[in-house]
Coordinates of all heavy atoms in Angstrom, one line a residue:
Chain B
G316 N 95.9 89.6 120.6 CA 95.3 89.0 119.6 C 95.9 87.5 119.1 O 95.1 86.7 118.7
D317 N 97.1 87.4 119.5 CA 97.8 86.2 119.1 C 97.8 85.1 120.2 O 98.7 84.4 120.3 CB 99.2 86.7 118.8 CG 99.8 85.8 117.7 OD1 99.0 85.2 116.8 OD2 101.0 85.8 117.4
S318 N 96.7 85.1 121.0 CA 96.7 84.3 122.1 C 97.0 82.8 121.8 O 97.4 82.0 122.6 CB 95.3 84.4 122.8 OG 94.3 84.1 121.9
T319 N 96.8 82.2 120.6 CA 96.9 81.0 120.3 C 98.4 80.6 120.4 O 98.6 79.4 120.9 CB 96.5 80.7 118.9 OG1 97.1 81.6 118.0 CG2 95.1 80.6 118.7
A320 N 99.3 81.6 120.3 CA 100.7 81.1 120.2 C 101.3 81.3 121.7 O 102.3 80.8 121.9 CB 101.5 82.0 119.2
T321 N 100.6 82.2 122.5 CA 101.3 82.6 123.7 C 101.5 81.4 124.8 O 102.4 81.5 125.5 CB 100.5 83.7 124.3 OG1 99.1 83.3 124.4 CG2 100.7 85.1 123.7
T322 N 100.6 80.5 124.7 CA 100.8 79.4 125.7 C 102.1 78.6 125.5 O 102.5 78.1 126.4 CB 99.6 78.4 125.5 OG1 99.3 78.2 124.2 CG2 98.4 79.0 126.0
A323 N 102.5 78.6 124.3 CA 103.7 77.9 124.1 C 105.0 78.2 125.0 O 105.6 77.3 125.6 CB 104.1 77.8 122.6
S324 N 105.1 79.4 124.9 CA 106.4 79.8 125.7 C 106.2 81.3 126.0 O 106.3 82.1 125.1 CB 107.6 79.4 125.0 OG 108.6 80.5 125.1
T325 N 106.3 81.6 127.3 CA 106.2 83.0 127.6 C 107.5 83.8 127.2 O 107.6 85.0 126.9 CB 105.9 83.4 129.1 OG1 106.5 82.2 129.8 CG2 104.4 83.3 129.4
A326 N 108.7 83.0 127.4 CA 109.8 83.7 127.1 C 109.9 84.1 125.6 O 110.3 85.1 125.3 CB 110.9 82.7 127.4
A327 N 109.4 83.2 124.8 CA 109.4 83.4 123.3 C 108.6 84.7 123.1 O 108.9 85.6 122.3 CB 109.0 82.2 122.6
A328 N 107.5 84.8 123.8 CA 106.6 85.9 123.5 C 107.3 87.2 123.8 O 107.2 88.2 123.2 CB 105.3 85.7 124.3
G329 N 108.1 87.1 125.1 CA 108.7 88.4 125.5 C 109.7 88.8 124.4 O 109.8 90.0 124.2
T330 N 110.5 87.9 123.9 CA 111.5 88.2 122.9 C 110.8 88.8 121.6 O 111.4 89.8 121.0 CB 112.4 87.1 122.6 OG1 111.6 86.0 122.4 CG2 113.5 86.9 123.6
T331 N 109.8 88.2 121.4 CA 109.0 88.6 120.1 C 108.6 90.0 120.3 O 108.9 90.9 119.4 CB 107.7 87.8 119.9 OG1 108.0 86.4 120.1 CG2 107.1 88.1 118.6
A332 N 108.1 90.4 121.4 CA 107.5 91.8 121.7 C 108.7 92.7 121.5 O 108.5 93.8 120.8 CB 106.9 91.9 123.0
A333 N 109.9 92.3 122.1 CA 111.0 93.2 122.1 C 111.4 93.5 120.6 O 111.6 94.6 120.2 CB 112.0 92.7 122.9
A334 N 111.4 92.4 120.0 CA 111.9 92.3 118.5 C 111.0 93.2 117.8 O 111.5 94.2 117.0 CB 111.9 90.9 117.9
S335 N 109.6 93.1 118.0 CA 108.8 93.9 117.1 C 108.9 95.3 117.4 O 108.8 96.2 116.6 CB 107.4 93.3 117.1 OG 106.8 93.4 118.5
A336 N 109.1 95.6 118.8 CA 109.3 97.0 119.2 C 110.4 97.7 118.4 O 110.3 98.8 118.0 CB 109.3 97.1 120.7

Side-chain angles (χ1 to χ4, degrees):
Chain B
D317 216 15
S318 55
T319 45
T321 46
T322 43
S324 137
T325 36
T330 45
T331 315
S335 62

